[in-house]
Amino acid sequence: MDLALDILLIILVAVFAWVGVELALTVKKARAGLVPMLDELDTTVKKANATIDSVDKTIQDLGPAVQEVQPLLGKVETTVDALSLDLLHVNDILGDVSTMTGTASKATESVTGVVEKASHAVNSAVAKVTGRADAAAARLERAKDDVEDAANAAKADVEDAVVETVSSDSGYFTYPTDRDQS
């Protein structure tokens, strides 16, 4: 049996030697595949570090600018408040202008009525004195038409004026658009 045991031991040693060689070859192949991957990983880490350094520098450079943002926002807020107050004053002024144009329109209508009545009275008096009622009536009609034309032209000028309004509930200035004017 010694011989069988010796043969078995020789076979086992040969198998272990073969497994050792195969293991060594596998590790060598794996290492050959890992080296390029490790090189690529190293390159990627270097690029990432450069990017992180660049971001850190940018953040440091932005530090003073960030500190200036808060005071700048305060100034913008003050400017917007002042502009809002100015727009409210403009709205008040436009309201006054609207009232004055309405009053002017009423005054024009009153003057037209007075001129018409005075003209009619003069025409009647002249017609009685001279007996030419038809010619005087024609002149009165022409004068009446001229006064009406002037009053209508003044009224059209007032109506054509575009008045921009400020919304009383929001405090924002509203600009007319092409749709509003159509």
Side-chain angles (χ1 to χ4, degrees):
M1 278 235 242
D2 274 333
L3 185 62
L5 192 58
D6 286 339
I7 292 176
L8 184 62
L9 283 175
I10 291 174
I11 291 175
L12 280 176
V13 168
V15 169
F16 280 124
W18 178 72
V19 169
V21 169
E22 286 295 322
L23 185 62
L25 289 175
T26 304
V27 168
K28 184 178 179 181
K29 286 181 185 177
R31 189 175 357 159
L34 283 176
V35 169
M37 287 176 33
L38 290 175
D39 289 341
E40 286 183 36
L41 182 62
D42 187 42
T43 304
T44 304
V45 168
K46 285 179 183 177
K47 288 179 182 179
N49 284 336
T51 304
I52 289 171
D53 291 341
S54 176
V55 169
D56 285 343
K57 186 176 186 277
T58 303
I59 288 173
Q60 288 174 352
D61 291 344
L62 287 176
V66 169
Q67 291 174 356
E68 293 295 323
V69 168
Q70 186 65 30
L72 187 61
L73 288 176
K75 290 178 184 177
V76 167
E77 182 180 358
T78 303
T79 303
V80 168
D81 289 344
L83 181 60
S84 180
L85 286 174
D86 288 345
L87 290 175
L88 288 175
H89 290 296
V90 168
N91 188 36
D92 291 342
I93 291 169
L94 289 176
D96 292 343
V97 167
S98 176
T99 302
M100 289 185 340
T101 55
T103 303
S105 176
K106 289 179 184 175
T108 302
E109 290 173 6
S110 297
V111 168
T112 301
V114 168
V115 168
E116 187 178 301
K117 287 181 183 178
S119 174
H120 185 62
V122 168
N123 190 32
S124 296
V126 169
K128 287 180 184 177
V129 171
T130 62
R132 297 188 216 161
D134 292 334
R139 280 183 284 179
L140 176 63
E141 283 300 317
R142 283 193 302 263
K144 179 181 172 184
D145 290 341
D146 290 344
V147 170
E148 285 180 5
D149 290 343
N152 288 336
K155 188 174 182 181
D157 288 344
V158 169
E159 289 175 352
D160 288 343
V162 176
V163 178
E164 299 169 349
T165 60
V166 175
S167 178
S168 60
D169 60 338
S170 67
Y172 289 103
F173 193 73
T174 305
Y175 291 98
T177 62
D178 290 337
R179 285 186 310 209
D180 295 339
Q181 294 176 358
S182 297

